[in-house]
Amino acid sequence: MSGMRVALTGGIGSGKSTVAEQFARLGAPVIDADVISHRLTAANGAAMPAIVAAFGAAARNVEGALDRAWMRARVFGDSAARRQLEAILHPLIRAEMLARSNQAEGPYSLLVIPLLFETGQQALVDRVLVVDVPESQQIARVRARDGLSDDAIGAVLASQVDRARRLQGADDVIDNSGAPEQLAARVAELDQRYRQYSQGADAL
Ligand code: ADP
């Protein structure tokens, strides 16, 4: 029997990876949409034939994987091309996440989906957990982590839903505005709650 699926989402630099790691330490299976996307577009990845058919051989680097820089430039400002790429990738990512969560051991699995709301994937999961920080902190942490310019960070933020929209769609919220050590207690509490919920669901 497949367990409950919890989506973990939040804006860039909000702390999704940090939080997911803490759930994993408690034994929760973590399934990451970005990791799956990278596998699909690696050499011999399942998305590569369709991508080459749609965009030409230039989309592939010498190793046979997706040429990410080329594709970024290709879809930049071209929404039809971006949609075409998404139409190839999103169903494959979705199917792979479902397959992995169905196979996962344990009462629930955590699906890390950064663009959950942007891609309208809420129906994929039973519960939505949002990692929340003020935008100023998001910017400061991304600057420190990636060394991006404020313009580049601003462009990413503009492409994502805003904080209010995310909070509106949340069943649970993790406040990550404090020190990382402050996350552990809240993660443990949510882990317990998800275990209880999934028992309740099994009893139905
Ligand atoms: P996301 O996966 O949402 O993009 P990360 O988990 O990578 O975010 O966190 C962004 C950056 O901020 C990382 O460098 C991470 O180590 C750091 N970080 C995460 N949580 C905190 C925190 N509570 N205090 C300080 N830095 C943090």
Side-chain angles (χ1 to χ4, degrees):
M1 170 173 213
S2 65
M4 182 171 80
R5 283 190 292 272
V6 179
L8 174 66
T9 193
I12 182 173
S14 58
K16 296 178 294 296
S17 309
T18 308
V19 168
E21 195 185 295
Q22 299 211 6
F23 273 98
R25 260 188 245 149
L26 299 178
V30 173
I31 299 159
D32 188 320
D34 284 346
V35 171
I36 290 173
S37 181
H38 270 78
R39 294 231 173 101
L40 288 168
T41 53
N44 298 317
M48 289 313 295
I51 288 175
V52 169
F55 293 94
R60 204 166 40 194
N61 64 22
V62 286
E63 281 86 36
L66 176 66
D67 185 331
R68 287 172 210 291
W70 184 90
M71 187 57 85
R72 257 196 306 276
R74 176 68 187 80
V75 303
F76 182 77
D78 184 341
S79 56
R82 183 180 295 275
R83 276 199 300 275
Q84 197 176 11
L85 178 65
E86 289 173 352
I88 295 169
L89 281 175
H90 288 176
L92 291 170
I93 294 171
R94 191 188 178 86
E96 183 65 21
M97 281 197 296
L98 278 178
R100 289 197 196 187
S101 62
N102 287 340
Q103 287 160 12
E105 300 282 334
Y108 74 94
S109 52
L110 196 72
L111 277 56
V112 186
I113 312 180
L115 300 179
L116 180 80
F117 298 115
E118 292 82 350
T119 57
Q121 292 191 88
Q122 296 95 313
L124 198 68
V125 296
D126 303 296
R127 227 173 151 79
V128 174
L129 169 59
V130 166
V131 189
D132 180 58
V133 293
E135 209 170 79
S136 57
Q137 250 173 351
Q138 246 182 302
I139 294 169
R141 288 176 186 173
V142 172
R143 198 190 286 131
R145 183 189 64 185
D146 301 334
L148 291 177
S149 70
D150 285 2
D151 277 357
I153 298 170
V156 176
L157 287 176
S159 74
Q160 302 187 341
V161 298
D162 64 18
R163 189 181 181 194
R165 169 70 189 85
R166 233 179 248 116
L167 289 173
Q168 195 185 22
D171 295 303
D172 306 299
V173 177
I174 292 192
D175 173 6
N176 188 27
S177 62
E181 300 74 41
Q182 290 175 284
L183 289 171
R186 175 71 176 139
V187 169
E189 179 192 347
L190 286 165
D191 173 69
Q192 278 307 314
R193 200 187 298 170
Y194 295 150
R195 287 171 193 274
Q196 279 163 14
Y197 286 153
S198 66
Q199 273 174 10
D202 284 351
L204 289 176

